[in-house]
């Protein structure tokens, strides 16, 4: 039986027994294989823009199963999936901005699925901003360790209709958008790792600015404020996780 990483296992646990799912950018297909093998999803669709990646998924399944409700489709984003064809769409391991482009390619189709599970590799702040502007509901968020990284996982539901095309041009670049909301499975160790990871990045940026003797006072002040914000969260972790 297939074994998943903590990241993929956490994603799999957000899918209810009996729900159909599509894995966009499936690569090796391990998530779909696990869901099918454990009887969680009666129908799985694996899509990838790369024929080579999709072939890896096909090989993994062919060694175990051959069934009419297992689908492999070559294509970009949501294009290979029909409107409302599945209950849940998973998009994991790509940038948050790329996710917004996938949604924007067909807003009607984007709104037709019941739920999305999103795991952005980066750009989670811009993704949350776009989701807010489009009227999505962030149902819950989770954190999962993978190697030295802490991955963010968002469980979201689209509105019945996305009336206006959101734009990232007005993104305020506020660190609050980079923080998880409705955090489920509140694990202090993982959350602390997540905050410290972000703190280290901000401190490295500030050090580079100081070493380079930057004259951009406004940008330097913004980084300092981001560090203070993260340090306050780190200092009040117990209170935040109990909220």
């Amino acid at each position: 039986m297939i074994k998943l990483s903590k990241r993929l296992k956490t994603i799999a646990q957000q899918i209810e027994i009996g729900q159909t799912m599509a894995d966009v950018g499936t690569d090796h297909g391990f998530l779909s294989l696990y869901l099918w093998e454990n009887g969680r999803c009666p129908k799985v669709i694996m899509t990838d823009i790369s024929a080579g990646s999709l072939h890896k998924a096909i090989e993994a399944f062919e060694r175990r199963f051959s069934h009419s409700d297992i689908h492999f489709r070559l294509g970009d984003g949501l294009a290979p999936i029909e409107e409302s064809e599945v209950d849940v769409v998973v998009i994991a391991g790509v940038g948050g901005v790329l996710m917004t482009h996938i949604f924007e390619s067909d807003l009607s189709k984007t709104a037709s699925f019941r739920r999305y599970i999103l795991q952005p590799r980066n750009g989670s702040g811009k993704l949350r901003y776009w989701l807010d502007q489009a009227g999505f509901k962030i149902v819950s968020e989770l954190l999962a360790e993978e190697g030295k990284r802490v991955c963010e996982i968002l469980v979201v539901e689209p509105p019945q209709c996305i009336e206006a095309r959101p734009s990232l041009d007005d993104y305020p670049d506020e660190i609050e958008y980079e923080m998880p909301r409705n955090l489920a499975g509140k694990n202090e160790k993982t959350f602390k790792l997540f905050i410290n990871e972000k703190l280290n990045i901000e401190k490295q940026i500030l050090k580079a600015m100081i070493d380079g003797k930057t004259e951009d006072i406004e940008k330097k002040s913004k980084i300092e404020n981001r560090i203070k914000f993260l340090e306050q969260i780190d200092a009040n972790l117990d209170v935040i996780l109990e909220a």
Side-chain angles (χ1 to χ4, degrees):
M1 186 168 286
I2 194 81
K3 281 192 172 183
L4 297 182
S5 66
K6 286 184 180 179
R7 174 180 69 96
L8 291 180
K9 187 74 175 289
T10 303
I11 290 172
Q13 289 169 343
Q14 309 318 305
I15 299 175
E16 297 173 9
I17 294 173
Q19 288 186 321
T20 56
M21 66 84 69
D23 185 12
V24 174
T26 192
D27 194 24
H28 41 56
F30 289 168
L31 175 64
S32 299
L33 179 56
Y34 175 89
L35 292 166
W36 177 268
E37 202 171 40
N38 285 275
R40 204 169 190 88
C41 293
K43 174 180 177 179
V44 294
I45 299 173
M46 287 154 281
T47 79
D48 209 291
I49 196 171
S50 162
S53 292
L54 196 62
H55 186 67
K56 287 189 288 185
I58 293 171
E59 283 189 326
F61 264 85
E62 282 182 343
R63 287 195 293 269
R64 293 171 170 84
F65 309 106
S66 177
H67 197 280
S68 60
D69 282 332
I70 299 172
H71 304 265
F72 306 93
R73 299 177 187 173
L74 188 64
D76 191 9
L78 299 175
I81 313 167
E82 298 298 322
E83 282 196 15
S84 307
E85 188 177 4
V86 293
D87 299 313
V88 182
V89 175
V90 176
I91 310 177
V94 301
V97 173
L98 177 56
M99 290 181 185
T100 70
H101 294 331
I102 289 172
F103 294 147
E104 288 173 348
S105 65
D106 190 334
L107 293 177
S108 176
K109 183 182 287 188
T110 294
S112 74
F113 303 106
R114 289 174 54 191
R115 180 166 283 193
Y116 289 88
I117 302 174
L118 310 174
Q119 185 266 300
R121 184 177 293 277
N122 52 49
S124 64
K126 289 184 177 180
L127 174 61
R128 286 189 186 90
Y129 176 80
W130 190 96
L131 293 171
D132 282 350
Q133 302 309 304
F136 277 69
K137 176 186 178 183
I138 298 180
V139 178
S140 63
E141 296 195 43
L142 304 103
L143 299 173
E145 295 177 54
E146 184 158 271
K148 295 181 178 180
R149 297 183 62 243
V150 177
C151 302
E152 300 173 70
I153 298 166
L154 291 76
V155 180
V156 306
E157 294 176 351
Q160 290 185 343
C161 176
I162 302 174
E163 297 180 356
R165 186 178 297 273
S167 171
L168 292 177
D169 293 342
D170 299 324
Y171 176 61
D173 195 20
E174 299 292 345
I175 195 166
E176 286 84 350
Y177 279 104
E178 299 173 31
M179 293 294 105
R181 309 173 188 170
N182 305 326
L183 193 61
K186 298 178 180 180
N187 183 296
E188 183 175 347
K189 175 179 172 285
T190 307
F191 192 67
K192 190 173 183 66
L193 286 172
F194 172 74
I195 295 298
N196 287 338
E197 184 180 307
K198 296 190 79 65
L199 253 175
N200 289 335
I201 292 171
E202 297 298 332
K203 287 178 177 178
Q204 287 171 14
I205 294 171
L206 182 61
K207 184 179 184 301
M209 294 176 75
I210 292 171
D211 291 346
K213 298 180 180 179
T214 181
E215 296 180 1
D216 193 335
I217 304 300
E218 185 178 343
K219 186 175 181 181
K220 182 170 175 285
S221 176
K222 186 166 190 174
I223 297 297
E224 289 172 339
N225 288 334
R226 288 169 68 89
I227 290 172
K228 287 177 183 176
F229 178 86
L230 291 167
E231 287 177 337
Q232 286 177 351
I233 289 180
D234 192 36
N236 296 285
L237 212 55
D238 292 343
V239 176
I240 292 168
L241 291 175
E242 286 176 5

